[in-house]
Amino acid sequence: MSFIIPLLVFIVIGLISSVRIIQEYERGVIYTLGRFTSTRGAGVQIIVPGVQRMLLVDMRIRTEAIPRCDF
């Protein structure tokens, strides 16, 4: 009976760490054991912790002012 509480805590922590939220302007790139697997769109996504890793990529256009160069 004493092993049930640590087991439940471990399961809850695993479920919490597997849920990722991706914003509309982002894409998630999924790596499984270090290799590219897929991309994910906006919304709530679930990954396998310890096996998969998600890298968020910002898809917004960034504009920067380029100073004029007078030669």
Side-chain angles (χ1 to χ4, degrees):
M1 200 62 166
S2 64
F3 68 90
I4 293 177
I5 293 174
L7 182 64
L8 288 176
V9 169
F10 181 73
I11 290 173
V12 168
I13 290 172
L15 288 175
I16 290 173
S17 67
S18 68
V19 175
R20 304 293 165 97
I21 298 174
I22 302 176
Q23 302 297 324
E24 289 186 23
Y25 54 85
E26 295 175 328
R27 295 295 176 263
V29 179
I30 303 294
Y31 293 102
T32 303
L33 299 175
R35 296 194 132 200
F36 170 78
T37 305
S38 65
T39 59
R40 305 268 175 98
V44 178
Q45 304 294 330
I46 298 176
I47 64 169
V48 180
V51 176
Q52 291 181 331
R53 188 170 63 105
M54 180 184 294
L55 177 69
L56 293 177
V57 178
D58 194 354
M59 300 298 288
R60 294 180 285 189
I61 296 174
R62 181 175 31 172
T63 59
E64 296 182 15
I66 300 173
R68 185 179 185 110
C69 183
D70 294 325
F71 287 107

